[in-house]
Structure formats: C-alpha cells, structure tokens
Amino acid sequence: MPDSELLDTLRSITAENSDRATKAKRIVDAIRKEGSWRWVGIYDVDFQRELVVNIAWSGYSAPSHPAFPITQGLTSRAIAGRRTINVGNVADDSGYMTTFDSTRAEIIVPILSHGDRVIGTLDVESEHLNAFDVEAQALLEESARVLEEFWAKGE
C-alpha cells in the first residue's frame, strides 16, 4: 500500500497558497526524500508546442534535457500510452535519452487530467539497476494521481 504520509504531504503542498515554482520544488524534494532516490523531476507536457518542459527537479544536478520534443525518450512512450514506463536497465533500452552518464534505471509516470489526457510527468532516476520495484512504482503512480491537482491549479 502506498505511503500515506507522502501522499498527505503532496496533498498539503498542492493545497498551499504559494506560487507554482515553490510548490513544484517542494513536491520533488518530498518525493526524492521518501524514496531516497538520486533524482526526481516533474515536467509539463505542452501538446501545442509539442514539448515536455521541466518545472522542478531535486537531486544530483539539473536535467540534461530541460525541454525536449514529446516524441523523444522514455517520456514519449509514457505520454503515448498514458502509462508508466519503468526501465530497470536504461542501457538495454534504445529509447532512453541520457539523463546522467551514471543513470542505470529510470521510471516515468504520466500525470493524467481526468484519467485520460497527459498534462505532466513524474520522472525518477537512479544509479542502481532495477531501482523501482512494484512498491516503488505503486507509490509513484499514486503520487501522480495526487499531483493532478497541482496541474489543475496551475493551468
């Protein structure tokens, strides 16, 4: 069962009366701390401009690709399929776009508006192979459902 403390924290952050950038940074920091993951980022998906754009990140360093076409990387599959893409070894995935040279595993969770339209993504990477087990994936997917409110308030 997903960690209710993290989900409560995310609900609290999305309900805050603060600017979007501040909320976004608090969101990625909370998720990164919960999983002890090296890097967490959240992205807007802009279908008009056909871009995925980083809103905030926490961890190792700034993303290699702060903005990129919606047709590239693991993110493109998460957007097209409206489902989580969990890659245990990025070296084995031809669709992987380098986050960091030392990344070994990455998971992309789409954030859906009303369950059908992708409005954002949650991207978590690790320097460890197979870093995202069933429990981690369930937690990140539930976090993404909670974060729909962040986009609803930010639009």
Side-chain angles (χ1 to χ4, degrees):
M1 172 141 194
D3 183 283
S4 62
E5 188 175 327
L6 173 62
L7 301 177
D8 289 345
T9 298
L10 295 176
R11 285 183 191 98
S12 175
I13 293 168
T14 61
E16 286 176 1
N17 187 18
S18 59
D19 65 88
R20 191 170 194 248
T22 300
K23 285 183 188 182
K25 179 63 173 147
R26 293 198 58 224
I27 287 166
V28 293
D29 286 344
I31 294 169
R32 181 170 168 253
K33 179 182 174 191
E34 175 65 31
S36 298
W37 293 302
R38 181 171 67 172
W39 193 89
V40 175
I42 56 174
Y43 292 78
D44 279 328
V45 175
D46 184 338
F47 283 100
Q48 279 191 315
R49 297 186 318 159
E50 298 183 351
L51 287 175
V52 178
V53 180
N54 183 262
I55 305 167
W57 60 273
S58 178
Y60 189 64
S61 71
S64 301
H65 305 281
F68 55 92
I70 62 172
T71 57
Q72 290 185 353
L74 303 177
T75 299
S76 69
R77 295 199 321 249
I79 292 169
R82 294 189 314 271
R83 64 181 178 82
T84 299
I85 302 298
N86 184 347
V87 178
N89 184 357
V90 297
D92 291 343
D93 194 300
S94 62
Y96 173 69
M97 266 175 28
T98 301
T99 305
F100 307 109
D101 289 341
S102 58
T103 298
R104 298 294 170 256
E106 188 165 13
I107 188 168
I108 312 289
V109 183
I111 287 105
L112 305 174
S113 176
H114 307 294
D116 62 353
R117 184 174 66 96
V118 179
I119 52 177
T121 62
L122 171 59
D123 182 345
V124 184
E125 73 85 37
S126 176
E127 70 277 24
H128 302 291
L129 292 172
N130 303 307
F132 307 103
D133 61 14
V134 173
E135 292 82 18
Q137 182 169 329
L139 176 61
L140 293 169
E141 288 173 341
E142 190 59 34
S143 296
R145 283 188 276 284
V146 169
L147 293 178
E148 179 186 350
E149 188 65 22
F150 170 80
W151 271 265
K153 289 183 176 185
E155 295 181 333

